[in-house]
Amino acid sequence: MSKEEKGGLNGVVKTFRNLPGFWRASLNPWLIRVRNHPERLAFVLHRVTGAIILFYLLLHILVTDVPAYHHSWSSWQSLMASFNNPANHIGEFIVAGCVFYHGLNGIRLLLTEFFGVCIGKPERPKPPYIPPTAKSCQRKLLYAVFILAAIFWVLSGLIIFGVWG
Amino acid sequence: MGNASRLAIWQYITAIILIAVLTGHLIERFPPVTHQSYEQSLSPSTFYSRLKGAWGIGLLLLAYVALFHGLNGIRGMLYEWLPGRRREKVWDALFWILFIIFASIATYTVIALPAPTLPK
């Protein structure tokens, strides 16, 4: 029995109503069923990559501030030298993948949710009912996002690991 | 601020700005464009000229908008995760505290960055 159900039986106001769904949907992508639901995978990946990018952004702002904070470049140069190792390059590679996926999927979300592109028109739900969103080009757009993000991720890996450039 | 739909609209608006400014920022490290290796593009002189030039304002805008977009996204998730009027006030307060702290650090970086000493 879940915490939520226990709360309900005891007559306590149900709190954390969204908690199981939140963890399941947002923070543990391995638990959700994505077969025939690529949009679900896209949604979860968008949140996970967003959280990773935010963590990197906060660190990036702090690291960029080092020469201004110390009024010298020597501390920043030694910090940059310490970052020049395979573990850090792998971290950069992960962040680059997150940025490309989050950015491209963000453009898709802007097009479909904000500008209403590629979502089809409403229609009467006659059986066998297939929602217009599933028939329109938004799913092709989604697959394009997955493919383009993978291509950009590989290219960024070539740059980060010094193979290209 | 306050309701989830308003937060979502701000996400879209900041995303549109981010597409333009972040693309510019990523191109700065792209070797075929900069004609420098990935590591060389982070030398003190390059870093200083980027932040102190006209593009410094663009980078500052990028920092503000990216911070707003990222922290607002987490705030939206917290609204879903732990809903309630009182909690929402806590998430709002946390959002603004973190935003002001990190935006101030970014601003200070652009203003107070010392010129790198050239090797003799």
Side-chain angles (χ1 to χ4, degrees), chain B:
Chain B
M1 306 301 274
N3 63 53
S5 57
R6 196 181 294 177
L7 298 191
I9 291 206
W10 278 109
Q11 286 302 86
Y12 294 125
I13 293 168
T14 49
I16 292 169
I17 302 169
L18 274 177
I19 290 166
V21 194
L22 184 63
T23 305
H25 186 48
L26 290 178
I27 286 172
E28 282 180 326
R29 302 286 313 271
F30 190 52
V33 175
T34 57
H35 303 293
Q36 285 177 317
S37 75
Y38 183 67
E39 298 301 332
Q40 283 172 338
S41 64
L42 266 184
S43 68
S45 55
T46 316
F47 180 13
Y48 179 80
S49 63
R50 253 183 232 152
L51 278 178
K52 285 292 183 180
W55 181 230
I57 303 296
L59 289 175
L60 203 52
L61 175 73
L62 172 63
Y64 295 154
V65 176
L67 269 175
F68 190 96
H69 187 84
L71 292 171
N72 197 40
I74 296 291
R75 176 164 59 152
M77 284 160 72
L78 287 169
Y79 269 34
E80 290 174 20
W81 182 19
L82 298 168
R85 206 172 272 182
R86 213 178 290 168
R87 286 199 193 106
E88 284 180 6
K89 282 183 182 167
V90 175
W91 309 142
D92 286 351
L94 272 175
F95 166 81
W96 284 112
I97 289 167
L98 283 172
F99 178 78
I100 289 168
I101 289 172
F102 280 90
S104 307
I105 293 171
T107 312
Y108 177 75
T109 306
V110 173
I111 292 170
L113 195 71
T117 46
L118 294 169
K120 290 173 185 173

Side-chain angles (χ1 to χ4, degrees), chain A residues 6 10 32-33 38 40 75 80 94 96 102 138:
Chain A
K6 276 182 193 167
N10 293 335
I32 61 158
R33 294 176 65 184
R40 192 80 184 142
S75 50
M80 286 296 115
I94 291 169
H102 195 88
Q138 68 89 20

Side-chain angles (χ1 to χ4, degrees), chain A residues 59-154:
Chain A
L59 284 179
H60 187 51
I61 288 175
L62 291 177
V63 168
T64 309
D65 184 57
V66 164
Y69 181 76
H70 291 282
H71 296 289
S72 86
W73 287 86
S74 55
S75 50
W76 184 75
Q77 278 172 308
S78 57
L79 191 66
M80 286 296 115
S82 71
F83 285 164
N84 197 5
N85 61 61
N88 192 64
H89 287 159
I90 290 169
E92 276 186 323
F93 181 57
I94 291 169
V95 172
C98 290
V99 168
F100 287 123
Y101 172 76
H102 195 88
L104 289 167
N105 193 49
I107 293 171
R108 180 187 71 88
L109 291 176
L110 273 172
L111 289 173
T112 54
E113 293 179 3
F114 197 63
F115 294 108
V117 177
C118 273
I119 52 170
K121 288 181 179 173
E123 59 184 40
R124 286 180 184 278
K126 289 178 186 170
Y129 179 63
I130 302 165
T133 49
K135 288 186 285 187
S136 58
C137 61
Q138 68 89 20
R139 192 164 275 190
K140 285 176 191 159
L141 209 57
L142 179 58
Y143 290 134
V145 165
F146 285 142
I147 293 165
L148 279 176
I151 292 169
F152 283 130
W153 195 20
V154 171

